[in-house]
Amino acid sequence: MNICVFLSAADLDERYTRPAKEFATLLGKGGHTLVWGGSDVGLMKVVADGVQEAGGRLCGVSVEFLAAKARKGVEEMIVARDLAERKRLLLEKSDAVVIMVGGTGTLDEATEILELKKHGHTDKPVVLLNTAGFYDGLKEQFRRMEDEGFLPRPLAELVFFAEEPVGALAYLEESRGVA
């Protein structure tokens, strides 16, 4: 399975890097391919290293203004013109999406895939990996959107909330019939 991971390129502390590395190891050992923003810095590097060390493949999609930070020596690296093209390519190349901790870029990517799902333009499974309760507030906001009628589909059809990496990958593999 090609699994797109939206996440930060920032250097983060162990409460975020440990679960990210754990997920990456599971992804690699499962024989999956990481589809990610292509950067070789911060949390993106942690995940790419973990996948590669565990035997998985890497497919990066960088963007022109970040190309200097792109990881070298991967199976596939594409450099998009802009962020919009990058998001489109990340989604095109993936079978499923995991949203890890991140900033505004990660939030932008997350809301785009959920908007596409909401309108029936994709059926890819989406997992929000709520490491260390990072997305508790967002989870609450999504539930409020659902409760107050802002979502035309049940929230559970749009996104699965996982608290641990093993649950995130298990959900994706079950959703896609991969064992």
Side-chain angles (χ1 to χ4, degrees):
M1 191 169 26
N2 294 335
I3 300 174
C4 177
V5 178
F6 294 136
L7 72 165
S8 179
D11 290 317
L12 301 170
D13 88 21
E14 193 268 338
R15 70 187 160 146
Y16 299 122
T17 58
R18 181 194 49 73
K21 173 86 171 173
E22 181 184 332
F23 180 79
T25 300
L26 292 168
L27 193 153
K29 283 184 177 176
H32 304 297
T33 298
L34 171 67
V35 180
W36 94 116
S39 290
D40 201 27
V41 295
L43 198 61
M44 284 194 188
K45 178 177 175 24
V46 169
V47 171
D49 287 349
V51 169
Q52 206 164 40
E53 289 165 11
R57 288 185 72 249
L58 300 178
C59 173
V61 182
S62 189
V63 66
E64 286 179 2
F65 69 89
L66 294 174
K69 294 181 180 183
R71 188 178 182 103
K72 307 292 184 250
V74 301
E75 288 80 2
E76 184 176 4
M77 180 62 70
I78 299 163
V79 179
R81 287 185 314 272
D82 55 33
L83 292 171
E85 182 183 36
R86 181 193 208 185
K87 283 189 294 187
R88 183 182 57 76
L89 290 167
L90 285 165
L91 294 175
E92 277 179 14
K93 295 197 153 288
S94 63
D95 303 310
V97 175
V98 173
I99 302 157
M100 288 189 178
V101 297
T104 56
T106 303
L107 192 56
D108 173 57
E109 293 161 339
T111 54
E112 178 146 340
I113 185 69
L114 294 177
E115 191 68 9
L116 289 169
K117 267 193 99 162
K118 181 180 92 174
H119 292 291
H121 291 282
T122 185
D123 65 349
K124 295 175 197 231
V126 177
V127 173
L128 195 146
L129 184 52
N130 190 25
T131 302
F134 185 80
Y135 285 119
D136 285 349
L138 185 59
K139 191 174 173 180
E140 183 179 331
Q141 185 62 47
F142 283 147
R143 288 200 172 123
R144 182 174 180 184
M145 288 174 186
E146 180 180 43
D147 292 346
E148 295 187 19
F150 288 94
L151 301 178
R153 297 173 62 182
L155 183 59
E157 290 181 13
L158 299 177
V159 62
F160 176 79
F161 295 96
E163 302 300 318
E164 295 295 329
V166 69
L169 189 59
Y171 174 81
L172 295 179
E173 288 178 340
E174 183 179 310
S175 295
R176 284 294 183 213
V178 177

